[in-house]
């Protein structure tokens, strides 16, 4: 299980980075370094765990000669620096799909076949879910580091992030720890943009022991229950019993949603993004209010879907696939 490191941890000098390890840097620091052609492996980070911040880039550039032989005292951010890499790189950076609370990576099975051929995907399981059922997490920061560890083990260093619900909050938290070059972000009804959450749904999803009970809670999740695949509740319950993670989910729910609220605020992380960003929300969402989409910054595209509830990837898979592909394509 990954160790939790709060995003708000007090900055402190960090130990030197071992040779061959990937630099940890904030999104802004990565953009400034890319714009200036600065190799992050040559920069010493002063943030938590050696995280490289803007001030470290400023310091590294302050004494570096520019092309005219003078001294560059301030980094210059060009318009191109808002895109992490050249357009052709989108064909090699996968779309990393992160599911929501109580689900697993199979929730994307309807979307993946509908994506454009050059959009490759990697589907992750959240801690405490699916293949990661034995490794729970109790904070959004711990979830982000666990996902980062999974990606690092796969050799994924550059990615387009696609997150649903709790997975959307995890995607935003993942952008803040700086261990991944993020090229674009697509969020489906993401958590972390407001305190409101349907606490009854979360608890019911974690505690259901019969197909009938789970079906009632799953009906809350969608605008029209007929959009749920046949046998969805039975399959979900079997998977939960197989993983033996019912108590784990209940424990995570209590930690992540204390007193029936979202115990994390990722609005600042969303505002800090400097890459193509898209939010997709169903107007009939009864789990996380679609009104939270109003907190999106001006540079983000926002789509409010008629007749759709909390899971666009199940209720409107073709449109969801198209919007993901458009976000990825916008990097070029």
């Amino acid at each position: 299980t990954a160790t939790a490191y709060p995003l708000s941890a007090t900055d402190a000098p960090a130990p030197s980075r071992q040779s061959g390890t990937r630099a940890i840097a904030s999104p802004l620091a990565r953009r400034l370094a890319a714009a200036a052609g600065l190799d992050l492996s040559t920069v010493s980070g002063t943030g938590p765990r050696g995280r490289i911040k803007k001030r470290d880039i400023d310091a590294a550039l302050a004494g570096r000669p520019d092309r005219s032989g003078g001294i560059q005292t301030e980094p210059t951010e060009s318009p191109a620096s808002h895109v992490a890499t050249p357009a052709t790189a989108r064909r090699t950076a996968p779309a990393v799909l992160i599911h929501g609370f109580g689900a697993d990576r199979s929730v994307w099975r309807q979307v993946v076949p509908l994506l454009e051929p050059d959009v490759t995907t990697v589907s992750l399981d959240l801690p405490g879910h699916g293949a990661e059922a034995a490794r729970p997490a109790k904070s959004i920061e711990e979830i982000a580091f666990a996902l980062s560890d999974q990606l690092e083990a796969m050799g994924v260093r550059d990615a387009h992030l696609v997150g649903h619900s709790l997975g959307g909050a995890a995607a935003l938290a993942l952008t803040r720890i700086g261990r991944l070059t993020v090229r674009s972000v697509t969020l489906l009804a993401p958590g972390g943009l407001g305190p409101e959450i349907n606490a009854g749904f979360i608890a019911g999803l974690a505690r259901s022991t019969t197909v009938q009970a789970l079906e009632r809670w799953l009906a809350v999740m969608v605008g029209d229950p007929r959009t749920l695949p046949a046998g969805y509740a039975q399959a979900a319950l079997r998977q939960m019993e197989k993983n033996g993670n019912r108590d784990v989910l209940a424990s995570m729910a209590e930690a992540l949603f204390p007193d029936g609220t979202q115990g994390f605020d990722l609005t600042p992380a969303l505002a800090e993004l400097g890459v193509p960003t898209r939010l997709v929300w169903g107007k009939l969402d009864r789990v996380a209010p679609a009104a939270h989409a109003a907190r999106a910054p001006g540079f983000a595209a926002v789509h409010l879907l008629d007749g759709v509830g909390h899971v666009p990837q199940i209720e409107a898979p073709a449109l969801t696939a198209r919007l993901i592909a458009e976000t990825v394509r916008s990097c070029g």
Side-chain angles (χ1 to χ4, degrees):
T1 301
T3 303
Y5 294 90
L7 299 182
S8 58
T10 303
D11 290 351
S16 59
R17 190 163 54 249
Q18 294 180 354
S19 175
T21 60
R22 181 165 171 77
I24 301 175
S26 71
L28 177 57
R30 286 193 181 278
R31 295 200 303 273
L32 294 177
L38 179 64
D39 183 354
L40 285 175
S41 67
T42 66
V43 180
S44 296
T46 59
R49 302 184 77 218
R51 190 185 195 208
I52 298 170
K53 308 190 78 172
K54 178 181 181 295
R55 62 174 178 248
D56 303 315
I57 300 298
D58 291 346
L61 293 175
R64 193 178 74 168
D66 63 18
R67 292 180 181 177
S68 64
I71 299 297
Q72 185 172 340
T73 57
E74 291 292 336
T76 301
E77 186 174 4
S78 68
S81 68
H82 288 288
V83 178
T85 58
T88 53
R90 72 182 177 89
R91 294 182 174 85
T92 57
V96 173
L97 310 178
I98 310 172
H99 64 79
F101 180 83
D104 62 31
R105 59 189 178 185
S106 68
V107 77
W108 302 103
R109 66 177 58 176
Q110 293 173 268
V111 169
V112 171
L114 301 175
L115 290 168
E116 295 178 358
D118 62 344
V119 179
T120 58
T121 63
V122 170
S123 299
L124 301 182
D125 277 322
L126 289 173
H129 296 68
E132 300 296 314
R135 291 174 284 276
K138 296 298 182 69
S139 72
I140 198 67
E141 296 86 5
E142 190 175 350
I143 289 173
F145 275 101
L147 295 176
S148 178
D149 288 344
Q150 288 186 49
L151 291 171
E152 190 169 303
M154 296 176 188
V156 176
R157 295 188 171 189
D158 308 80
H160 302 273
L161 297 182
V162 181
H164 169 244
S165 196
L166 179 60
L172 288 172
L174 193 54
T175 69
R176 301 196 83 183
I177 63 177
R179 295 170 69 182
L180 181 74
T181 298
V182 178
R183 302 173 187 269
S184 72
V185 176
T186 304
L187 304 171
L188 313 181
L193 301 189
E196 297 85 3
I197 190 72
N198 187 332
F201 169 80
I202 297 294
L205 205 62
R207 290 297 190 186
S208 291
T209 58
T210 68
V211 170
Q212 292 74 19
L214 187 56
E215 282 178 337
R216 286 194 289 271
W217 288 115
L218 291 177
V220 174
M221 187 175 69
V222 294
D224 182 351
R226 292 174 297 180
T227 60
L228 286 171
Y232 188 85
Q234 291 92 328
L237 193 62
R238 280 198 304 270
Q239 189 65 35
M240 190 181 298
E241 291 171 347
K242 176 183 176 182
N243 294 334
N245 66 333
R246 184 175 286 110
D247 290 340
V248 167
L249 291 179
S251 177
M252 286 183 64
E254 291 176 4
L256 294 167
F257 307 105
D259 299 321
T261 66
Q262 298 194 50
F264 41 85
D265 180 11
L266 277 303
T267 307
L270 179 59
E272 291 170 2
L273 293 178
V275 296
T277 303
R278 192 180 303 268
L279 278 73
V280 182
W281 225 302
K283 291 182 180 180
L284 302 182
D285 196 328
R286 290 181 285 169
V287 177
H292 287 182
R295 295 183 170 93
F299 63 80
V302 177
H303 302 263
L304 300 178
L305 309 186
D306 291 324
V308 173
H310 188 61
V311 280
Q313 69 272 36
I314 291 177
E315 300 172 81
L319 178 56
T320 299
R322 193 185 92 191
L323 294 174
I324 292 171
E326 286 180 359
T327 312
V328 171
R329 190 166 55 246
S330 68
C331 291

